[in-house]
Amino acid sequence: MTTAQPPRRADDRDPYWSRHRDREGTTARRDPIIWGSRVEAASRGPLGERELRSFEENGFLLVDSLFSEEEVERLLRRAEELAAQPPDPETLVREPGSDAVRSIFRIHRDDRVFRSLADDPRLAGVARQILDSEVAVHQSRINFKPGFTGRPFDWHSDFETWHMEDGMPGMRALSASLLLTDNLPINGTLMLVPGSHRTYVRCQGETPEDHYRQSLAEQRVGIPSQHVLRDLIGEGGVVQATGGPGSVLFFDCNTLHGSAGNITPYPRHNVFMVFNSEHNRLEPPYGGTRPRPSFLADRAPRGDRP
Amino acid sequence: MTTAQPPRRADDRDPYWSRHRDREGTTARRDPIIWGSRVEAASRGPLGERELRSFEENGFLLVDSLFSEEEVERLLRRAEELAAQPPDPETLVREPGSDAVRSIFRIHRDDRVFRSLADDPRLAGVARQILDSEVAVHQSRINFKPGFTGRPFDWHSDFETWHMEDGMPGMRALSASLLLTDNLPINGTLMLVPGSHRTYVRCQGETPEDHYRQSLAEQRVGIPSQHVLRDLIGEGGVVQATGGPGSVLFFDCNTLHGSAGNITPYPRHNVFMVFNSEHNRLEPPYGGTRPRPSFLADRAPRGDRP
């Protein structure tokens, strides 16, 4: 645990308070980016010194062709099967105003193929290396951005939501996004703001109960203002994570990211595994709301039940 | 006139009929792309043989840095003035669900600065060269794609609408789009389908009266089906017309194009001048509806009133 006894409600004792009715702003990150010694981390692998430095500097790292074509084909086929026949309809989110599947959650528990992906050292090993501890999956999902109808995701930091709505204490978590299709400049590929992971954005606006029912389709609370976005993007610019199937994008839990819609016929499908440090276990949500369902925030990571 | 006495209603005597209640499909283009002799056209200039061949092949041509930084700055400033104080509020279209300005039309008549841009030989000269005749402005507009809120434009061919709703007889028109800001891969830059100008897409669905009131903000009729788009994009692919301020994209009236939304803070503003051949004067709309207002389709081109 990085902070002893974090407060239960968003207030000035919580360094990462947010969602105030009428206050917004930014504050410096309190937590390391690479945990432990970077030299030791580099010697542990799988990432090398240069890759770690790039992750630390930018808040993300794209590794090309980490998975083979055959592996990706198998995962893509399985993803499409799950979209057609979800193991649990509650874990499936559709595009607003359409029947197209936008996301399927909790695949690290509900499906054998993705369960073993969550354990794959090419993903979990990088998380252990950067977070300097054992890790567990906080959230897993497949994001489908279908051709023609894929909708945008607004700019956001995942950590702000995980802190306020799930009770994640500190910034000791990261996402691994495995590209299942070509992520081109034109089909709604993820964009990130280099360096934004060093700044925590306090978003304005109170969280309604059961906010997730709306936010998964179209997020409106927990979104930085245009004013703040202009500042952060003005400093860091925007990088688009284009790459081929099998590439993996690792990004810090506090890196600002978003994506445009997809009007091309080329689908953009990615798997996300969010790894959280065992020293960063979930508390009650810092925003004071009821915890989100376990398919969005795994409160009993598998490590607990060997 | 390329066809004598074209029929007034969309039916089988009109080679470019469209908007049938329940029929869709495609048909080959009947009209030349480069009018007259290409050799003579190349000798006339301003485009060279190679540029003409590229336009003919792809249906578009991007010419870098055709206007200077100073010229573009002046036009951009004027565009922003017009957005703040439009000469005629009727010519201004806002983004759906927002106050942001999406387009201002008829700038070739209503504003001195853009009037002289319409006469600029770098634009009108290329139109005369490709269309092998005198030309007049059929439509002019500034398209604003503001940062954060810019919305997508669905795939469409301009000619289908100009034929059905404005009465443009044949494919003897082209657009010149002058880039006023950086058109990046990430800020909703125009995408085109190379080769699509050789195929006319008959779109399904009848045109409501005063369709333009809705279609300028979000087009729903006159849009090819996903099935047809998949075929055409499958053959030609998609090219994004990225370029710096001062570059000009020339594209044939029948080239399929569209653009994604813009969630970045970088605005994407372009001026469009549509040039039509003097031998292709507007008839009553082929779809049988009332002609659209003159700010969308100039029925008394300036050449008529010297």
Side-chain angles (χ1 to χ4, degrees), chain A residues 148 155 226 233 259 263 266, chain B residues 148 155 226 233 259 263 266:
Chain A
F148 298 120
W155 297 106
Q226 290 186 6
I233 295 177
S259 64
I263 72 161
Y266 311 123
Chain B
F148 298 118
W155 297 105
Q226 290 186 6
I233 295 177
S259 64
I263 72 160
Y266 311 122

Side-chain angles (χ1 to χ4, degrees), chain A residues 9-12 14 16-25 160 164 200-207 221-223 286-287:
Chain A
R9 303 280 312 192
D11 61 27
D12 289 337
D14 172 12
Y16 297 132
W17 64 262
S18 182
R19 314 243 178 143
H20 191 278
R21 196 184 312 150
D22 37 41
R23 283 164 69 191
E24 61 156 0
E160 196 267 355
M164 297 307 290
Y200 180 70
V201 181
R202 307 192 193 284
C203 302
Q204 190 184 328
E206 289 174 308
T207 318
V221 177
I223 296 284
Y286 289 74

Side-chain angles (χ1 to χ4, degrees), chain B residues 22-146:
Chain B
D22 37 40
R23 284 164 69 191
E24 64 156 357
T26 58
T27 186
R29 178 192 183 110
R30 309 283 178 110
D31 298 303
I33 298 152
I34 309 290
W35 287 72
S37 144
R38 211 176 61 198
V39 176
E40 273 172 41
S43 70
R44 276 199 302 275
L47 299 182
E49 167 66 23
R50 201 167 148 180
E51 289 171 309
L52 285 173
R53 199 178 310 126
S54 175
F55 183 92
E56 187 168 33
E57 176 76 16
N58 297 313
F60 60 88
L61 177 77
L62 184 70
V63 183
D64 278 333
S65 309
L66 197 52
F67 286 71
S68 73
E69 267 180 53
E70 295 71 39
E71 287 176 303
V72 171
E73 257 170 45
R74 183 162 167 252
L75 292 167
L76 182 56
R77 211 163 40 235
R78 189 69 194 129
E80 281 163 353
E81 284 166 13
L82 293 176
Q85 289 201 309
D88 176 352
E90 204 212 0
T91 65
L92 185 144
V93 176
R94 296 186 190 277
E95 293 282 347
S98 133
D99 263 0
V101 174
R102 181 178 173 94
S103 304
I104 306 177
F105 286 87
R106 205 178 58 198
I107 49 172
H108 71 292
R109 280 190 184 272
D110 293 351
D111 184 72
R112 197 176 43 79
V113 173
F114 288 102
R115 199 180 309 141
S116 74
L117 180 67
D119 292 333
D120 194 294
R122 287 169 289 181
L123 304 184
V126 169
R128 281 190 291 266
Q129 182 184 20
I130 289 176
L131 306 177
D132 190 30
S133 71
E134 277 308 310
V135 296
V137 172
H138 167 66
Q139 182 190 88
S140 66
R141 64 187 189 277
I142 307 164
N143 275 0
F144 295 89
K145 187 163 280 192

Side-chain angles (χ1 to χ4, degrees), chain A residues 62 67 71-84 93 95 99-104 107 114 117 141-151 153 176-184 186-190 241-249 259-262 264-273, chain B residues 230:
Chain A
L62 184 71
F67 286 71
E71 287 175 303
V72 171
E73 256 170 47
R74 183 162 168 253
L75 292 167
L76 183 57
R77 213 163 38 236
R78 189 68 194 128
E80 281 163 354
E81 284 166 13
L82 293 177
V93 176
E95 294 282 346
D99 263 359
V101 174
R102 181 179 173 94
S103 304
I104 305 177
I107 49 171
F114 288 102
L117 181 67
R141 64 189 190 275
I142 307 164
N143 275 0
F144 296 89
K145 187 163 280 191
F148 298 120
T149 57
R151 296 271 306 233
F153 278 84
S177 167
L178 168 59
L179 281 52
L180 295 183
T181 62
D182 274 318
N183 280 229
L184 307 162
I186 56 173
N187 65 347
T189 287
L190 203 74
T242 52
S247 303
V248 175
L249 174 73
S259 64
N262 181 14
T264 79
Y266 311 123
R268 196 225 65 175
H269 303 331
N270 296 347
V271 186
F272 288 78
M273 293 287 170
Chain B
R230 263 184 224 285

Side-chain angles (χ1 to χ4, degrees), chain A residues 19 93-94 96 102-103 105 152-154 156 161 165 207-223 292 296:
Chain A
R19 314 243 178 143
V93 176
R94 296 187 190 275
R102 181 179 173 94
S103 304
F105 286 86
F153 278 84
D154 266 319
H156 65 284
T161 291
E165 302 193 26
T207 318
E209 277 296 343
D210 291 340
H211 177 228
Y212 74 93
R213 288 184 196 279
Q214 192 259 314
S215 71
L216 296 181
E218 201 159 26
Q219 194 170 349
R220 295 215 189 106
V221 177
I223 296 284
R292 298 196 297 174
L296 293 174

Side-chain angles (χ1 to χ4, degrees), chain B:
Chain B
M1 196 82 64
T2 53
T3 49
Q5 291 300 327
R8 294 288 145 86
R9 304 280 310 191
D11 62 27
D12 288 337
R13 285 168 303 164
D14 172 13
Y16 297 132
W17 64 262
S18 184
R19 315 245 177 140
H20 191 279
R21 195 183 314 148
D22 37 40
R23 284 164 69 191
E24 64 156 357
T26 58
T27 186
R29 178 192 183 110
R30 309 283 178 110
D31 298 303
I33 298 152
I34 309 290
W35 287 72
S37 144
R38 211 176 61 198
V39 176
E40 273 172 41
S43 70
R44 276 199 302 275
L47 299 182
E49 167 66 23
R50 201 167 148 180
E51 289 171 309
L52 285 173
R53 199 178 310 126
S54 175
F55 183 92
E56 187 168 33
E57 176 76 16
N58 297 313
F60 60 88
L61 177 77
L62 184 70
V63 183
D64 278 333
S65 309
L66 197 52
F67 286 71
S68 73
E69 267 180 53
E70 295 71 39
E71 287 176 303
V72 171
E73 257 170 45
R74 183 162 167 252
L75 292 167
L76 182 56
R77 211 163 40 235
R78 189 69 194 129
E80 281 163 353
E81 284 166 13
L82 293 176
Q85 289 201 309
D88 176 352
E90 204 212 0
T91 65
L92 185 144
V93 176
R94 296 186 190 277
E95 293 282 347
S98 133
D99 263 0
V101 174
R102 181 178 173 94
S103 304
I104 306 177
F105 286 87
R106 205 178 58 198
I107 49 172
H108 71 292
R109 280 190 184 272
D110 293 351
D111 184 72
R112 197 176 43 79
V113 173
F114 288 102
R115 199 180 309 141
S116 74
L117 180 67
D119 292 333
D120 194 294
R122 287 169 289 181
L123 304 184
V126 169
R128 281 190 291 266
Q129 182 184 20
I130 289 176
L131 306 177
D132 190 30
S133 71
E134 277 308 310
V135 296
V137 172
H138 167 66
Q139 182 190 88
S140 66
R141 64 187 189 277
I142 307 164
N143 275 0
F144 295 89
K145 187 163 280 192
F148 298 118
T149 56
R151 298 270 306 233
F153 278 83
D154 266 320
W155 297 105
H156 65 284
S157 141
D158 291 326
F159 176 74
E160 196 267 357
T161 291
W162 297 339
H163 184 69
M164 298 306 290
E165 300 193 29
D166 296 337
M168 184 182 283
M171 296 182 187
R172 196 169 181 176
L174 61 81
S175 292
S177 168
L178 168 58
L179 281 51
L180 296 182
T181 62
D182 274 318
N183 280 229
L184 307 163
I186 56 173
N187 65 348
T189 287
L190 204 74
M191 299 186 278
L192 306 106
V193 181
S196 59
H197 59 310
R198 296 180 186 277
T199 301
Y200 179 71
V201 181
R202 306 190 194 284
C203 302
Q204 190 184 328
E206 289 175 308
T207 317
E209 277 297 342
D210 291 339
H211 176 229
Y212 75 94
R213 288 184 197 279
Q214 192 259 315
S215 71
L216 297 180
E218 201 160 26
Q219 194 170 349
R220 294 212 191 108
V221 178
I223 296 285
S225 69
Q226 290 186 6
H227 171 77
V228 168
L229 286 171
R230 263 184 224 285
D231 282 354
L232 289 169
I233 295 177
E235 271 177 54
V238 172
V239 167
Q240 212 181 8
T242 51
S247 302
V248 175
L249 173 73
F250 296 97
F251 60 105
D252 180 84
C253 60
N254 191 45
T255 303
L256 270 180
H257 59 284
S259 64
N262 181 14
I263 72 160
T264 79
Y266 311 122
R268 198 225 65 175
H269 302 331
N270 296 347
V271 186
F272 288 77
M273 293 287 169
V274 180
F275 296 102
N276 187 25
S277 165
E278 64 172 350
H279 304 302
N280 199 34
R281 290 281 172 81
L282 301 190
E283 298 281 332
Y286 289 74
T289 46
R290 189 167 54 231
R292 298 197 297 174
S294 66
F295 76 87
L296 293 174
D298 201 327
R299 306 188 80 82
R302 278 159 69 206
D304 289 358
R305 302 176 305 183

